[in-house]
Structure formats: C-alpha cells, structure tokens
Amino acid sequence: MITIARRDPIATAAITALLGVGAIVWLMPPLIIPLLVTLALAVAATIAYARPVAAMALWLILVETTPEMWLSDLIGAHELIIALLKSAGLLIIALAALRTGPRADRFNPSYAFIVMFIDGAIHGLWPGLTPMASLRSLIGSAAPFAAGYLRLSAAMRTTIIRCTIIGPSVTVGFGIALAAPGIRPLYSTQLGAIRLAASSAPAFLGGFAMIAIFAGLIEYLRNGNSRHMLWIAVNYLILIATGARSPLAMAGFITLATLLITPSPFLTPARRFAILAFGSASLGIVLMAASALRIIRIVDLINLGDAASLSNRQLIWPFFEAAARHSPWIGWGVGAGKVVVSMKSHIGRLLGTNAAHNEYLRITVEGGVLGALLLFAMLTLWLWRGSAALPTAQRRIIRLVFLAFAVQSFTDNTLIATTSLVFFTWARAVFVNPDESPPPT
C-alpha cells in the first residue's frame, strides 16, 4: 500500500484524507457532518474533473428535471436550489476547462452583466437590494454563458446536444416516477384544461421541449438522421401537452422556416410537402374537433377567444416601467428585477410571482438603456461569430432561433429561468469558433 501511495498522488491524497477523517472523528466528533459534506463535494468535483462529459450530461439532465420545483416541494429552499444548480454548472465547466485549457470568448454576454454590476454599484442599488444579493445575481446571470469559455471536444458537443433533445422525455419519465407514489402530481388543471408538468412546471417543461425541437431540427439538417424527426415529434407532443403558448409558437415558426426557406439535401421537395401536408391535416382535425378537445389548453383558449392573452403579465409591467424611469441610463444594479415588486405586495400575491415576464423591461431596470444595448449587442456578436462558420442551413436556423428567443423575451423570463442554462449551453455546442475544430458530422 505504501509503495503504491508513493507512486500515485491520487492514492496518496486518498489515504491522507482517510487518516485525517479518522483523526477528526476521534478528536472532534461534532465536525463529522460538515466534514462528510465537504468530502462528498470533493469526491464529486474529482469525478467531474476525471469525467467531464459524463458530469455535463448529468448536470443538464438534472437541470431539465427542474429540482427547484420537485425538490423544493420536499425540502423548500427554492432560491438555494437554483443557486446550487448554477454553481454546479460553473464548477463542471471550470473543471473541464482545466483539462482542455480555457478559451477567450471575447463577445461573451456575461461581460455585459459585469459592466451593469459595476454601474449599479457606482450609481447606487435599488432600495432593498444589497451588494451581496447583487453579486449573487451577477453570478447567476452570467452562469448560462459559462460554456463560452470552454473548448468543446466532439464528445462534449454530442453529449450536450443529445441531452438537450432527450431531456424533456426524461423529465416526463421522472415525473411519472414521482406521481406514482403521490409525491408530486403529473399535471395541473387550468380552466378545466390539463397542463402537463411532470417533475417541472408546465411553462418550464414547455420551454425545454421548445429548445429540444430546435436542437432536433439543426441535428437533422446536419446529418439527415431520421431518428431526429421522431424526437421532434415526441417533443412537440410534450410541448402541446404543457399548454405553453409562446414556446409552441416559437417552435412552430422555426419548424416552418426549416421547411420553407432552408436549403438541405435531406429535405427533398417531396419530404417537405409530406411534412407540411401532415401538419396541416393534423391542425385541421384539431380545429374541427375543437369542442371535444377542450381538455388541451391551447384548444381551450382558442375556444374561449383567449389564445393571445398575456395571462395578466401586463399588470406587473408598470412597476418596472416606473423603476426604469427613475434611472433610465444605467439602471439600479444586477438583481434589481427581483426586488422591484415585493412578493408580499398586492400584485405579487395576485400573480404569485414578482418576475417581470419581460426581459427588456427587467434588463432596463437593472442596467438601464446603456446596459440593455450592451447586452443585446454582445448577444448579437456572440451569435454572429459562433454561427459564421456553420453550413448555410444550420447558420440560418440558429440565427432564426435567436430571433425567436428575442421575440419570446417580450413575455417570458428567458434569461433568468433555468431554461436559459440549457438554451445557451446547447447554442454553444452548435457554435463553431475560429479557434475550434468543427463539430462531428
């Protein structure tokens, strides 16, 4: 044992750690619990360093199951769980970067949040927003873009894309497992219509399914494998079952764009026509049977003439507009969007949320007009540089995906929700930068 330990630094460290743990248990028993937690984290970090691809896969699947929903139902600590999720992603990416060497991502949008944080600290923060809370929000806001600093191997790219595509189905399966013993209901109802939630929430699961459809479309354009068509269909079923209108509209827009204006040797005219005919026929059947399908939320809202409603989102927007008017140019600091409206206020209790559901308003409150312009400019440059080397079809669709993301941002929390962790990590796996090798075909 001693000979092996001398030759193997990992074995040496393991033996030393075990001896240290034994000594602490013997001398100071009250420290055993925090010590075991520390050791567990150290072991997890070691495994993540040794197997970065597997660690990334586990993290992405965990994010898509939305533990801030199902786990917080069991133990509470909603905000802490989100912070731990983002921190785990940052740690996995940092450890992977240690193996491959980090890359300088000059147009990474996280830089815009750093500038907004500094401006807020100089100008003064919104009342109720502490410097530490603003710093935590800075880290959380930058976390979705962390993969930009990682040199992606072919295996890492493939894993990220595959996990993005299968994630919603895994979430549904996990939701069924939670629902069977009565831990968490599989679906909720709204005005008599069913909304699939699984282990997540309908809006979040719908967002993940939308991203999975985007990923499936680009993968089909990349290699023409018919299994991607099957996954797209499965994710459409999940998306429709969630009743999430905006993600469904964005997914439909990108799918139509793929079929109508995207050149691809895998999409022959006959195949395009067949898919469009099938989609049109399915829509026609749904419309004709609308009265019998009101259990589906989208159909129910169409019957009620409420399909384009904002679900009371507009009620909270005046509070953010007023805050932005008081500091229009540089805003009130990163994180101000979380405290502009108190959850204890009338509007917070009425809506059950204090989120803006409009990223343009929230970013203007936090960084002012200058911060918002900087962030959107960085996002545009990040997209343009990362997609420039892609084949025409893939480049066109990923840019349209970001356009759809920009439209969705008018009515959803696209940058602060955990769906952003998957969206931007997946986008990074699609991008090909000048200092990287192209993705596998």
Side-chain angles (χ1 to χ4, degrees):
M1 290 292 294
I2 294 176
T3 303
I4 294 173
R6 285 175 177 171
R7 293 177 179 176
D8 188 347
I10 294 180
T12 302
I15 292 172
T16 304
L18 288 173
L19 291 174
V21 169
I24 291 174
V25 170
W26 181 49
L27 297 173
M28 293 176 287
L31 295 181
I32 185 60
I33 298 301
L35 181 63
L36 289 175
V37 172
T38 302
L39 278 175
L41 293 175
V43 169
T46 302
I47 295 173
Y49 177 78
R51 298 287 185 269
V53 174
M56 177 64 77
L58 289 173
W59 177 71
L60 283 172
I61 293 298
L62 179 63
V63 168
E64 295 213 40
T65 66
T66 325
E68 69 270 26
M69 301 292 176
W70 61 266
L71 186 56
S72 65
D73 285 349
L74 301 175
I75 65 173
H78 178 86
E79 293 295 329
L80 176 60
I81 292 170
I82 294 176
L84 290 175
L85 269 180
K86 293 185 176 181
S87 298
L90 289 172
L91 178 61
I92 289 169
I93 290 171
L95 291 172
L98 282 177
R99 292 176 62 93
T100 62
R103 59 180 299 271
D105 195 14
R106 68 182 69 176
F107 297 125
N108 195 289
S110 61
Y111 295 131
F113 288 105
I114 296 173
V115 172
M116 290 158 59
F117 173 79
I118 295 172
D119 287 345
I122 295 172
H123 167 269
L125 303 176
W126 181 264
L129 177 65
T130 65
M132 186 56 65
S134 184
L135 178 61
R136 288 196 299 268
S137 292
L138 168 63
I139 296 172
S141 298
F145 305 100
Y149 301 105
L150 178 62
R151 295 183 189 278
L152 296 180
S153 64
M156 182 69 84
R157 285 184 190 273
T158 301
T159 296
I160 290 172
I161 292 168
R162 285 178 178 172
C163 289
T164 301
I165 292 172
I166 70 171
S169 296
V170 174
T171 300
V172 172
F174 184 59
I176 293 172
L178 292 178
I183 296 175
R184 180 181 173 86
L186 185 63
Y187 60 87
S188 61
T189 57
Q190 185 175 1
L191 298 176
I194 290 177
R195 301 193 68 183
L196 178 64
S199 64
S200 184
F204 280 61
L205 180 56
F208 288 127
M210 174 192 69
I211 300 166
I213 291 169
F214 296 160
L217 288 169
I218 289 185
E219 285 308 288
Y220 183 79
L221 292 174
R222 190 192 307 277
N223 55 37
N225 194 315
S226 58
R227 76 170 181 270
H228 297 306
M229 286 292 188
L230 177 60
W231 278 112
I232 290 169
V234 169
N235 284 306
Y236 258 115
L237 290 175
I238 294 173
L239 177 51
I240 291 170
T242 66
R245 292 167 295 164
S246 178
L248 180 59
M250 297 303 104
F253 165 69
I254 297 300
T255 303
L256 280 175
T258 302
L259 293 172
L260 296 177
I261 65 171
T262 305
S264 171
F266 308 116
L267 283 174
T268 62
R271 180 165 294 182
R272 293 174 196 261
F273 179 79
I275 295 172
L276 288 170
F278 176 77
S280 300
S282 300
L283 180 60
I285 292 171
V286 169
L287 293 176
M288 287 189 293
S291 59
L293 296 174
R294 298 191 67 167
I295 196 172
I296 301 174
R297 182 177 183 246
I298 300 296
V299 178
D300 187 43
L301 289 174
I302 292 173
N303 277 324
L304 294 173
D306 208 23
S309 76
L310 294 174
S311 300
N312 293 322
R313 285 170 168 83
Q314 72 277 14
L315 297 180
I316 204 170
W317 291 345
F319 295 89
F320 285 84
E321 291 167 352
R325 282 196 297 270
H326 284 86
S327 181
W329 291 107
I330 58 176
W332 294 99
V334 179
K338 296 182 179 179
V339 295
V340 166
V341 175
S342 170
M343 281 299 297
K344 298 179 180 179
S345 65
H346 172 70
I347 191 67
R349 293 195 303 270
L350 174 66
L351 299 179
T353 179
N354 61 353
H357 285 86
N358 183 320
E359 292 293 24
Y360 299 96
L361 275 178
R362 184 182 70 86
I363 295 300
T364 303
V365 166
E366 297 191 355
V369 172
L370 296 179
L373 290 175
L374 177 61
L375 175 60
F376 301 140
M378 296 295 284
L379 273 167
T380 301
L381 291 171
W382 195 60
L383 164 66
W384 219 257
R385 179 182 174 86
S387 62
L390 291 174
T392 301
Q394 297 168 43
R395 180 173 67 248
R396 183 173 297 176
I397 292 303
I398 191 64
R399 290 177 178 178
L400 285 175
V401 163
F402 270 71
L403 176 61
F405 175 86
V407 173
Q408 188 188 7
S409 296
F410 279 103
T411 56
D412 280 313
N413 304 314
T414 52
L415 289 170
I416 59 173
T418 48
T419 49
S420 65
L421 296 173
V422 174
F423 178 78
F424 289 110
T425 303
W426 162 73
R428 175 64 188 88
V430 173
F431 291 167
V432 179
N433 292 286
D435 57 342
E436 295 180 305
S437 60
T441 57

